[in-house]
Amino acid sequence: MEQKTMLGVIGGTGLYEMEGLSAVREVEVDTPFGEPSGPFVTGSLDGVELVFLPRHGKGHRLLPSEVNNRANIFGMKKLGVGRILSVSAVGSLKEEIEPGHVVLPDQFIDRTYRRPSTFFGDGIVAHVQFADPLCNDLRAVVAEAAGTEDIQVHGRGTYVCMEGPQFSTRAESALHRSWGADIIGMTNLQEAKLAREAEICFATIAMATDYDCWNEAAGDVDIEEVIAVLQKNADVAKRIIRGTLERLSPERACPCATALSIAIVTDRSLIPEAARQRLAPLVDKYL
């Protein structure tokens, strides 16, 4: 049975562990989609159950395109996670979003092309609503927690998710700015899509590290500078996570919790037994 207050945290570049966890243990989770990025670290933080996973694996071994998002999110679901906070490094596409600022995006633009982004297929079809790709209820709680920190927080924004691992060309950066996008990263969109299919609330804490390459006065993206900014702000991210935990309601009243209720369109009598078993943690209550 799902633990309603359980929070999952996916750590990006610069955030590989969570201090302060008690009753810590590492859990290996088998999934029908292969291996997750590594063992899930479970524990209690201020009395609330938490599951932590470094997105790029221990020692940062996985490219953004190599991260097995389906296994990561499916594993979170099997462990009883109902909400996920994703912490990510991003480039800024706006002058007013300076390196070191925090952005809580509310929209995505997909510029990836190599990544599986659904659990469905092979005999079962579902189309979840994704107009609002991040959970507004969870975003509001994160915004409240972030507002107590001595850091500039942007409460909304559009996140362009690119394939990578190379950073943008100047022409691409100019294109993304012309679309009105605010930040650019390489990881969060598939996580959000899969979390919605798994009926998990999802929100992003995006840490701006640079100005992409459109702002030539600020210089081009330098990975060493990116890491330096992230290390400086890692403690801020952890405090935001802790503050979010303190403010979470035990219950979820958002549409995320029932995202599959009208999404599965396949005739139930024609769904293969293998598909039912593969997706049991997601679909059992509807089939």
Side-chain angles (χ1 to χ4, degrees):
M1 182 175 179
E2 179 175 300
Q3 298 184 40
K4 296 176 182 176
T5 57
M6 185 174 286
L7 179 71
V9 175
I10 300 176
T13 305
L15 183 61
Y16 304 108
E17 58 186 0
M18 284 292 297
E19 294 88 356
L21 285 175
S22 60
V24 176
R25 64 191 184 101
E26 289 191 351
V27 180
E28 301 275 359
V29 179
D30 292 326
T31 86
F33 301 99
E35 294 184 2
S37 294
F40 293 83
V41 179
T42 69
S44 178
L45 187 64
D46 299 331
V48 180
E49 292 300 307
L50 184 144
V51 178
F52 177 75
L53 181 69
R55 175 186 295 112
H56 298 284
K58 187 175 183 180
H60 202 119
R61 299 171 291 102
L62 301 171
L63 290 170
S65 303
E66 294 177 322
V67 174
N68 191 340
N69 294 296
R70 291 193 295 182
N72 290 350
I73 302 300
F74 200 89
M76 289 275 187
K77 181 71 174 181
K78 285 186 70 174
L79 290 172
V81 167
R83 299 176 172 109
I84 291 175
L85 279 183
S86 179
V87 183
S88 299
V90 297
S92 168
L93 298 171
K94 296 283 182 68
E95 187 80 46
E96 61 269 24
I97 301 176
E98 301 176 9
H101 287 190
V102 169
V103 183
L104 307 178
D106 61 331
Q107 284 294 324
F108 283 111
I109 295 173
D110 191 357
R111 291 211 62 221
T112 65
Y113 50 86
R114 294 176 53 191
R115 309 177 189 186
S117 58
T118 181
F119 293 116
F120 291 90
D122 295 324
I124 180 169
V125 175
H127 301 282
V128 296
Q129 293 184 349
F130 206 59
D132 295 306
L134 296 107
C135 176
N136 286 323
D137 287 7
L138 182 56
R139 284 182 60 253
V141 177
V142 177
E144 184 179 338
T148 66
E149 296 296 324
D150 185 21
I151 192 170
Q152 180 66 46
V153 179
H154 302 266
R156 62 180 59 251
T158 296
Y159 178 131
V160 177
C161 190
M162 65 181 290
E163 191 67 47
Q166 301 82 4
F167 294 121
S168 304
T169 67
R170 296 194 205 286
E172 289 170 332
S173 197
L175 176 65
H176 300 149
R177 278 169 51 77
S178 76
W179 291 344
D182 298 278
I183 54 177
I184 183 165
M186 301 179 187
T187 57
N188 273 203
L189 181 57
Q190 279 69 35
E191 292 174 349
K193 287 182 175 181
L194 293 161
R196 183 62 52 85
E197 288 188 347
E199 298 187 328
I200 298 173
C201 301
F202 185 90
T204 290
I205 301 173
M207 314 290 288
T209 60
D210 57 83
Y211 277 118
D212 204 33
C213 61
W214 64 269
N215 189 338
E216 295 187 40
D220 296 338
V221 185
D222 184 305
I223 190 62
E224 290 184 359
E225 294 179 6
V226 168
I227 297 297
V229 173
L230 286 170
Q231 289 176 340
K232 182 179 179 181
N233 287 336
D235 288 340
V236 173
K238 293 173 185 178
R239 290 198 299 271
I240 293 173
I241 292 167
R242 188 183 294 268
T244 300
L245 276 171
E246 294 171 352
R247 292 168 171 80
L248 285 177
S249 167
E251 302 291 337
R252 294 192 296 156
C254 57
C256 310
T258 55
L260 284 179
S261 61
I262 58 172
I264 301 172
V265 298
T266 307
D267 184 323
R268 303 301 194 265
S269 67
L270 298 178
I271 297 174
E273 184 59 29
R276 289 174 179 263
Q277 293 181 8
R278 182 176 69 251
L279 298 182
L282 278 59
V283 303
D284 255 6
K285 64 181 178 180
Y286 300 116
L287 303 184

